[in-house]
Every structure is written in structure tokens, then in C-alpha cells.
Amino acid sequence: MSRVVAIVGRPNVGKSTLFNRLTESRKAIVDDFSGVTRDRHYGQSEWIGEKFTVIDTGGFVHGSDDIFEAAIRSQVHIAMEEADVILFMVDVTTGITDLDEAMADMLRRTKKPVFVISNKVDHNERMSASAEFYAFGLGEVYNISSQSGSGTGELLDDVVKALPPAPEEDDATLPRIAIVGRPNVGKSTMLNALLGKERTIVTPIAGTTRDTILEEYNAFGHHFYLIDTAGMRKKARVHEDIEFYSVMRTIRAIEECDVVMLMVDAQEGIQAQDLAIFHLAEKNMKGIVVVVNKWDAIEKDHKTTKVFEDKIKEKIAPFTDVPIVFTSATEKQRIMKAVETALEVYENRSKKVKTNQLNEIMLQVIENYPPPAWKGKYIRIKYCTQIKIATPTFVFFCNLPQYIRESYKRYLENKLRENFNFTGVPINIFFREK
């Protein structure tokens, strides 16, 4: 489950460099969200076996380097509310600025662990200059160089100690469905239609993290958890940067669910931020259902649905084996169809194919169209099996795994989908030497 470390600080102190070091250097998944100023904002990091999410808040401040103080202040407020640990970065070469003082003043009021990081400490002379940052009254000052990486190991040792324990699952047997999407696509209306007015049995359950609320749905023969992102409590004290706030919520919801219901506005079509959410769910190996909402507002003929589906599949390619459901949450049209489709995708994601059945079909598929020879070498696939983990993962054993091309891997994936129905679910395929 997601634990969040947020990096805060004024512009140009090195937040993004540290962020890249914590994520990319450990080959983490780093995802782009459109509509913000920098190209990387969220990533996964791992240190001594502890996994956590890193957020570069600077990436979410709109504008150039002459950013308004108010915009930065709102980022710090959101980090104080949403993160488990806050890294407050300052620049040893400039010392304490008025903006640093203002941020430190806000951070002194939080009960969250705050780590003061003096960046650009590239040589011993600068270590003594860092002592002035003790004036913030926020405890220990960590001297690092985010450029070279010096000092980051010591910092991370203490950061992981300050993280809350990884929470246990509430009920691992029930599917978890997250309704996500851009603001104003109808998430709240969908949730209210499902939970509020259908005589459902609704049990609010304390979430696995502070800001995730699970709603138990048990009616009409369906029993699952809805991860409520749209209906989360508003923080009166936070002047929200809506985009950043919704991104943090979306990240957590995706990490904690089994199936993502991605809501798209029928009137606007699929947008860049919708695609970013889609690819985030895909990289996290979650089941996906695309729910096109506000369909009642569209003028239709007999081709409208097919044209809309084709446009979506063109944009989400190459992973196009995804169900698309057209709904109107306000009119309650096909909202149960969306839920039923999400539960079918959950079943597909949980599916385990028997090894003998898998080999019987897939070895025949391979014989009909063997892997192309590479540099005069013939590739022979002897055997395949499914690994017993949460998402469909298959291993094909062969003599020369390094010569199998991406196009052949896609061919095998398509045949697995064709024969075993993994609609809505990303598939992992690996090749190993036998």
C-alpha cells in the first residue's frame, strides 16, 4: 500500500534532481501527468526493502521560476495534509531566504516528520555553512548533494524509519474498485448513484491510508469495496491546487485497487490526462474499464458508439483489449453494467490457467508460427507456465530468450487473450533459458 514522501522547497533548490535520483536510479516506474510544468512528478522508490511513493511538489507549481509565493504555500499545505514524511529542501549556496523562512514556519505546525535537507553540499567548506539551517527549529539538517548522490543513503535510512508501518489489507478477499478520472467527469455522481440511493448496505471503513476511504457495497448479488476518491473530505484550511490534489488521490487509489474504472467525459472525449491515468494503471498492472460518462448529452446515430470506441482504442494502443462502457450517472443509465464489467475484469485478473491446458494451446500456437530466426539462429520455445502472483504473468522457456523480438512477444500476448480471455488486464510475459 502507498506511503508518500513529498519533496517541498522553493524553485531551483534541486528537488527534481533528488526526485530523479530516488526514483529512476532504482529503475522505478515514473509517470508523466500532463498539464504541469515539469516532465516528472511521481515515482516509486525502494530503500532497504521499504517501498514508498515520492512526489516532487515543485513539478505541480504552475508558471516559470517567478512562481507566486501563494502557489508554493498551497503545495506545502497539501504535502502537510497528504504525505507521511516531508523532505524540506534548501540550498546551501544561497542560505536562508524569506521564502524558506515562510515554508519553515508552516512546516513547524505539522505533526508529520520533516527532514531538513541542505543541498549542493559538494565539499567540506559547505558543511559548516549548512549549520545556519538549524535556525528553522526543525531538528537535524541532512547535508547532501542530489547531483552526486552523496549523503542520500544516510537520509534515506532515517526516512524509512519515520514511515508508518505498511498497512495490512482490510479484507484481501473482496475486490477493490477505484473510480478515477479528471475533475468534473461525474465520479461523485456515480458514487452517489451506487452508494446513496440504491438501498445498498453501505459500511464506511477506515482506509488503508489516511486519505483513502473504502465503501463496502453489498447489494444486488455484488459484494466489493469502492475506493472513494471523489467523496474524500475537503480540507477547509487548504487552498487547493486542484490538479495536484487530484493527482495525489488518483495515485493512491490506483495503487490500492484491483480494478480501475477510468471515467471519461463523453462531451470532451479522451484527453491527455485521461491517457496518463490509463498508462499509470497499466504500468501498475491493474485491471481497467473505461467508463464514458454523460453519454445522454451526446447526439447519436447508429455509428456513434463504434466511432467513439475506435477513437479511444486508437489512443490507448497497443493495449486495446479494454472494455468500454457508455453511461449516464445522472440518469443512472448502465451504471450497474459498468460495475458488472469491472467485476468481470477482476475475475480475469485473478484467473489462473492450468499448466497442461496452457501448453496444449500455446505450444500449438508457437508451432503454427514459430519465432523468426535471428542472425541465423533458430529459437525453440519448449514450455510455458503461469506464475502464481496477483496479475497474469507467463514465463516461456526457450533456448535463446535474448533473440525474441517485441513483435513476437505481442503475438503471444494476443494469442493468450484470444484463448483465455484476459480482457481489461495487462499481461506480463517473460522468456527464460531452459
Side-chain angles (χ1 to χ4, degrees):
M1 291 303 165
S2 172
R3 295 175 292 171
V4 173
V5 173
I7 307 172
V8 304
R10 60 186 171 79
N12 302 320
V13 292
K15 297 189 298 298
S16 293
T17 311
L18 177 63
F19 170 85
N20 288 338
R21 179 162 290 282
L22 297 186
T23 54
E24 289 184 324
S25 62
R26 290 179 177 76
K27 296 182 182 170
I29 299 165
V30 175
D31 291 281
D32 300 348
F33 272 78
S34 74
V36 284
T37 54
R38 294 188 193 153
D39 58 353
R40 292 195 177 98
H41 320 284
Y42 148 80
Q44 299 253 319
S45 187
E46 184 176 347
W47 186 257
I48 54 172
E50 295 285 345
K51 292 182 181 176
F52 52 94
T53 297
V54 185
I55 302 274
D56 171 14
T57 60
F60 294 92
V61 178
H62 298 277
S64 58
D65 286 347
D66 56 338
I67 294 159
F68 300 116
E69 189 176 325
I72 296 171
R73 181 176 283 123
S74 80
Q75 302 303 318
V76 179
H77 271 307
I78 294 166
M80 284 164 62
E81 291 281 356
E82 301 293 313
D84 297 298
V85 170
I86 299 166
L87 308 184
F88 173 34
M89 189 173 261
V90 287
D91 183 345
V92 71
T93 64
T94 57
I96 296 174
T97 69
D98 291 346
L99 197 46
D100 293 330
E101 280 281 18
M103 294 173 87
D105 186 48
M106 288 188 283
L107 290 168
R108 278 194 291 273
R109 297 173 208 162
T110 185
K111 292 179 180 167
K112 308 281 173 65
V114 177
F115 290 79
V116 179
I117 301 171
S118 174
N119 191 29
K120 306 182 187 176
V121 181
D122 302 307
H123 45 75
N124 289 339
E125 288 79 18
R126 288 183 177 175
M127 290 187 91
S128 53
S130 290
E132 72 169 303
F133 298 125
Y134 282 98
F136 291 141
L138 288 166
E140 188 65 40
V141 175
Y142 291 80
N143 294 314
I144 74 158
S145 167
S146 58
Q147 195 72 49
S148 69
S150 71
T152 52
E154 209 172 290
L155 167 70
L156 285 169
D157 286 344
D158 289 348
V159 166
V160 295
K161 285 178 196 165
L163 286 170
E168 293 177 11
E169 299 283 343
D170 295 294
D171 184 345
T173 61
L174 284 184
R176 293 175 178 226
I177 299 171
I179 301 176
V180 300
R182 291 178 295 115
N184 305 317
V185 293
K187 298 188 297 293
S188 296
T189 313
M190 173 73 91
L191 280 158
N192 291 339
L194 287 170
L195 296 170
K197 303 162 191 167
E198 295 289 340
R199 293 194 216 133
T200 56
I201 302 160
V202 178
T203 316
I205 294 172
T208 51
T209 63
R210 194 178 47 265
D211 83 342
T212 299
I213 296 167
L214 294 180
E215 303 280 6
E216 186 178 357
Y217 182 102
N218 190 359
F220 306 116
H222 300 304
H223 193 191
F224 57 90
Y225 286 131
L226 273 171
I227 297 183
D228 179 355
T229 55
M232 288 176 192
R233 64 197 181 283
K234 295 288 184 195
K235 281 94 172 172
R237 291 184 291 113
V238 179
H239 298 290
E240 298 175 15
D241 178 325
I242 295 298
E243 181 173 34
F244 177 49
Y245 212 41
S246 64
V247 165
M248 286 192 81
R249 289 175 167 183
T250 300
I251 289 164
R252 287 196 169 196
I254 288 173
E255 288 182 344
E256 290 162 19
C257 75
D258 299 302
V259 178
V260 169
M261 286 171 64
L262 170 58
M263 291 194 80
V264 174
D265 189 322
Q267 294 166 296
E268 296 179 10
I270 193 160
Q271 302 285 313
Q273 196 175 345
D274 300 320
L275 290 172
I277 296 169
F278 179 90
H279 293 308
L280 179 57
E282 183 188 359
K283 285 181 180 175
N284 277 274
M285 302 303 290
K286 305 299 182 180
I288 305 172
V289 179
V290 176
V291 178
V292 181
N293 193 34
K294 307 183 187 176
W295 194 238
D296 55 314
I298 299 294
E299 285 187 27
K300 295 176 275 290
D301 60 28
H302 66 289
K303 292 182 181 173
T304 312
T305 304
K306 175 79 166 61
V307 168
F308 210 99
E309 279 183 354
D310 289 346
K311 278 184 185 170
I312 290 175
K313 290 191 174 181
E314 187 186 323
K315 289 193 175 177
I316 64 175
F319 177 34
T320 57
D321 185 18
V322 176
I324 300 169
V325 183
F326 294 85
T327 66
S328 167
T330 51
E331 302 297 320
K332 298 188 186 172
Q333 290 172 358
R334 290 178 294 281
I335 60 170
M336 287 313 297
K337 170 73 174 166
V339 166
E340 285 159 8
T341 304
L343 291 171
E344 284 167 18
V345 168
Y346 173 79
E347 292 301 325
N348 292 347
R349 188 172 181 259
S350 314
K351 185 180 294 176
K352 299 289 180 277
V353 182
K354 289 180 180 172
T355 303
N356 59 351
Q357 186 190 4
L358 183 65
N359 280 277
E360 187 182 327
I361 290 171
M362 292 308 293
L363 292 182
Q364 186 60 53
V365 160
I366 291 160
E367 193 179 319
N368 293 345
Y369 175 46
W374 182 257
K375 296 181 179 175
K377 296 185 172 158
Y378 290 92
I379 302 156
R380 291 178 182 86
I381 298 175
K382 310 279 190 186
Y383 175 78
C384 54
T385 187
Q386 183 179 2
I387 298 174
K388 290 183 180 176
I389 58 174
T391 55
T393 302
F394 298 89
V395 180
F396 289 80
F397 293 94
C398 58
N399 59 336
L400 298 165
Q402 69 272 29
Y403 293 134
I404 291 182
R405 314 325 306 157
E406 191 64 33
S407 57
Y408 194 77
K409 184 176 175 181
R410 277 200 301 274
Y411 165 74
L412 292 180
E413 179 181 333
N414 290 337
K415 290 297 178 183
L416 283 166
R417 293 185 181 283
E418 205 175 286
N419 287 285
F420 302 109
N421 185 18
F422 287 105
T423 295
V425 186
I427 292 176
N428 264 328
I429 294 177
F430 297 103
F431 298 95
R432 295 283 180 268
E433 193 165 357
K434 175 120 177 172

